[in-house]
Amino acid sequence: MTNIRRVKKEMKSYKRLKLFIENSQKIAIISHINPEADAIGSSLALLHFIHSIKKDVVGVNKTGVPENLKFLPGAGKIRSAIPPDSDLYVIVDTASLERTGFKISKNRNTPTIVNIDHHITNDGFGDINIIDPNASATAVLIFRFLNSINFPLNKEIMMNIYAGIYEDTGGFSYQNTNAECFKIAEKMVNKGLNPSYVARMLKEEVPARKYLLLGEALSTLKIYPEIKTATMFVRMDMKKKFGASWEDTDGFVDYAKSIRGIKVGLLFNEREDGSIKVSMRSKDDVDISLIAKEFGGGGHRNAAGFELKKEEAKNIKWYEREIFKRLKTAVK
């Protein structure tokens, strides 16, 4: 699809989204479990807009807002359950219905679903699908929508959009960073956004337990030069030792990826129920999204992951070997 055709199709979808919002009575904005700044920021930016036009709207995340994102305007309005009388679901930054953590089945009784996302592995589950894998963050799509209807951005909306873009581009350093990111940031800074405040709250207000846990995790670091891969493990006993939680491991996988000569970083992160989240990050042209999808997960070309249930996690060494086999082909 050419860029012009994509833009025309997207603009048509934005018009439909606006109509659905205006004609709905109860709107639920839903994001994926264990969210990061793009999921929460996109949800809250959209929530502020819908609230401003006097519609009944609620933000929903089954696992709640992480501690480091509670500074975002409106974060306290995020609930953990979907209101049963909702007649419109707007699902953001979520590649599949399963990733919401809720049992949402599509049938004639299901509310209309709008799917807004930038994951290349998104399965197009919505009645309206606004998906652009070339967008650096879902927050970019929220900005495009608000811009398309000429909605004036306030500081609350701008802070949430900027947080989403900043997080998903690694502070404008990842390979998905493009000119559009900087243009959006420029527009918002010119309108009064304080980018240094958002960056500080995301990266410089870190609890000590996170760095203590990081030290333990780094002690598990292993290098596999033949496939240019580095791995790290975080076990539950390590988290309990420092009173750390799941969200304290955010960003750990980047330490494995950042080693000179390494192209892929893997983090095996154990949960309380015995399951393991496998986070994958890569450099350059190494596409790890297809590997993640093969194991039931998904994500982006250079940032993806999947989950192993408790029974599967017992065979972690087998999964590790299978990942390595696929990396031999992916890493050239």
Side-chain angles (χ1 to χ4, degrees):
M1 183 183 296
T2 65
N3 190 52
I4 293 176
R5 286 179 61 198
R6 179 195 63 75
V7 171
K8 285 183 177 179
K9 182 180 179 182
E10 197 170 286
M11 291 297 288
K12 186 177 180 181
S13 295
Y14 289 148
K15 288 180 181 178
R16 291 183 67 198
L17 171 58
K18 184 172 181 287
L19 284 173
F20 272 114
I21 290 172
E22 290 173 340
N23 293 313
S24 297
Q25 301 304 312
K26 184 83 171 185
I27 303 161
I29 304 172
I30 306 166
S31 54
H32 64 78
I33 55 174
N34 302 311
E36 26 59 69
D38 193 25
I40 297 299
S42 296
S43 296
L44 292 175
L46 199 54
L47 186 147
H48 280 289
F49 157 67
I50 297 173
H51 183 73
S52 74
I53 60 173
K54 312 300 181 184
K55 302 298 294 187
D56 192 352
V57 59
V58 63
V60 181
N61 189 279
K62 189 168 186 178
T63 51
V65 178
E67 184 180 335
N68 71 317
L69 299 180
K70 289 182 178 178
F71 77 95
L72 291 173
K77 297 178 181 179
I78 299 286
R79 301 181 187 177
S80 59
I82 302 173
D85 55 343
S86 301
D87 59 353
L88 177 65
Y89 292 166
V90 182
I91 301 179
V92 300
D93 198 43
T94 305
S96 67
L97 288 175
E98 290 74 21
R99 284 284 290 150
T100 66
F102 297 105
K103 292 182 179 179
I104 302 174
S105 57
K106 291 191 66 176
N107 55 56
R108 61 183 180 182
N109 296 317
T110 305
T112 299
I113 296 175
V114 178
N115 173 18
I116 307 176
D117 190 28
H118 73 132
H119 290 90
I120 195 170
T121 54
N122 190 291
D123 59 19
F125 56 80
D127 298 299
I128 300 177
N129 294 292
I130 303 173
I131 304 167
D132 183 5
N134 293 315
S136 298
T138 297
V140 167
L141 301 180
I142 303 301
F143 178 89
R144 289 179 190 170
F145 165 62
L146 297 176
N147 191 55
S148 75
I149 60 174
N150 298 312
F151 185 80
L153 301 182
N154 57 35
K155 288 186 178 180
E156 290 78 16
I157 290 176
M158 291 192 295
M159 189 181 295
N160 280 297
I161 288 176
Y162 186 82
I165 295 173
Y166 184 92
E167 181 80 8
D168 259 29
T169 60
F172 301 90
S173 67
Y174 293 162
Q175 284 180 267
N176 63 336
T177 306
N178 56 30
E180 184 180 21
C181 296
F182 291 107
K183 288 177 182 177
I184 292 173
E186 180 187 21
K187 287 181 181 179
M188 295 194 297
V189 170
N190 287 337
K191 288 180 179 290
L193 173 74
N194 184 347
S196 63
Y197 172 74
V198 178
R200 178 169 64 83
M201 295 304 292
L202 287 174
K203 300 300 179 184
E204 297 179 8
E205 293 291 330
V206 180
R209 64 178 182 268
K210 176 165 183 164
Y211 287 118
L212 293 170
L213 178 61
L214 176 60
E216 292 272 313
L218 286 171
S219 71
T220 71
L221 182 69
K222 289 185 179 180
I223 308 294
Y224 300 87
E226 67 278 8
I227 52 173
K228 299 179 181 179
T229 296
T231 65
M232 291 168 57
F233 280 78
V234 178
R235 302 184 307 274
M236 276 308 303
D237 63 288
M238 295 159 65
K239 294 176 190 173
K240 290 177 180 178
K241 180 178 179 180
F242 302 111
S245 64
W246 171 264
E247 64 191 69
D248 290 317
T249 63
D250 182 48
F252 280 17
V253 66
D254 291 321
Y255 286 89
K257 183 198 72 171
S258 65
I259 298 169
R260 182 182 299 163
I262 292 300
K263 285 201 169 185
V264 177
L266 302 176
L267 176 69
F268 297 88
N269 196 347
E270 186 182 18
R271 291 193 172 117
E272 280 192 57
D273 63 1
S275 64
I276 291 177
K277 170 68 184 295
V278 182
S279 296
M280 311 174 72
R281 299 292 184 271
S282 68
K283 297 175 185 173
D284 304 326
D285 59 348
V286 180
D287 188 349
I288 51 176
S289 66
L290 297 178
I291 297 175
K293 191 171 184 178
E294 196 172 340
F295 289 99
H300 309 289
R301 182 182 182 87
N302 298 111
F306 61 93
E307 297 181 19
L308 299 176
K309 295 178 181 178
K310 183 177 180 179
E311 289 303 311
E312 295 171 325
K314 291 178 181 178
N315 297 313
I316 185 63
K317 289 298 181 183
W318 182 86
Y319 281 98
E320 191 176 30
R321 288 194 299 271
E322 291 301 308
I323 295 169
F324 287 177
K325 286 180 185 178
R326 288 154 179 78
L327 286 175
K328 285 181 181 179
T329 302
V331 178
K332 299 175 182 178

